[in-house]
Amino acid sequence: MQNDIMARFGHAVRKLRREQEISQEELAERCGLHRTYISDVELGKRNVSLENIERIASSLNTSLVNLFVEVDNG
Amino acid sequence: MQNDIMARFGHAVRKLRREQEISQEELAERCGLHRTYISDVELGKRNVSLENIERIASSLNTSLVNLFVEVDNG
């Protein structure tokens, strides 16, 4: 069973990434993370930590607040 | 040297906790975490993960968005 917050965070990342029409590979490269890690995040399989949350938000050209608006709405 | 996002997150947690006039012990108990962990979080020493971020927000009676408003303002 997936953890709710992890699933909601993953959905938010996927939504914002797709809105910007960038691939998982492109997002991963911008974050300095592996593509499979980004894939796992989007699937709600990762308990992402603050440093990587900030990298992902920054790489999606958004603020932490805007990212968590999507999480709370998810 | 402290990580910036970890330090900003810690300041936000401390600010919200003090506004509610609860102790680190009380917050830790509400979160189901150890007091020394909460102390380390507030000192910017912990790369807190999503599950614990949610526990902390919930225990501070706030949303993830409101918590990160404080982080972004910090």
Side-chain angles (χ1 to χ4, degrees):
Chain A
M1 200 178 73
Q2 285 192 330
N3 173 281
D4 184 57
I5 180 64
M6 288 160 54
R8 287 188 291 133
F9 185 82
H11 289 148
V13 170
R14 176 162 289 180
K15 177 173 183 286
L16 293 169
R17 178 179 61 76
R18 288 182 169 169
E19 283 175 0
Q20 297 185 38
E21 299 182 348
I22 62 174
S23 65
Q24 289 185 339
E25 288 83 351
E26 171 66 21
L27 178 58
E29 187 173 326
R30 291 184 189 181
C31 291
L33 298 167
H34 200 280
R35 188 197 65 78
T36 58
Y37 180 83
I38 295 295
S39 173
D40 281 353
V41 168
E42 292 191 358
L43 292 170
K45 293 179 176 175
R46 291 282 183 161
N47 193 15
V48 190
S49 65
L50 276 173
E51 290 187 340
N52 283 345
I53 291 170
E54 186 180 49
R55 286 183 186 191
I56 290 169
S58 174
S59 297
L60 289 168
N61 301 306
T62 194
S63 66
L64 291 165
V65 170
N66 284 336
L67 176 53
F68 279 96
V69 166
E70 295 294 340
V71 173
D72 273 348
N73 290 342
Chain B
M1 199 178 73
Q2 286 193 331
N3 172 282
D4 184 57
I5 180 62
M6 288 159 53
R8 287 188 292 133
F9 185 82
H11 290 149
V13 170
R14 176 162 287 180
K15 178 172 182 285
L16 292 169
R17 178 179 62 76
R18 287 181 171 171
E19 283 175 0
Q20 297 186 37
E21 299 182 348
I22 63 174
S23 65
Q24 289 185 339
E25 288 84 350
E26 171 65 22
L27 178 58
E29 188 172 327
R30 291 185 189 181
C31 292
L33 298 167
H34 200 281
R35 188 197 65 77
T36 58
Y37 180 83
I38 295 295
S39 173
D40 281 353
V41 168
E42 291 190 358
L43 292 170
K45 294 179 176 175
R46 290 282 183 163
N47 192 15
V48 190
S49 65
L50 276 174
E51 290 187 340
N52 283 345
I53 291 169
E54 187 180 49
R55 285 182 186 191
I56 291 168
S58 173
S59 298
L60 289 169
N61 300 307
T62 193
S63 66
L64 291 165
V65 170
N66 284 336
L67 177 53
F68 280 95
V69 166
E70 294 294 341
V71 173
D72 274 348
N73 289 342

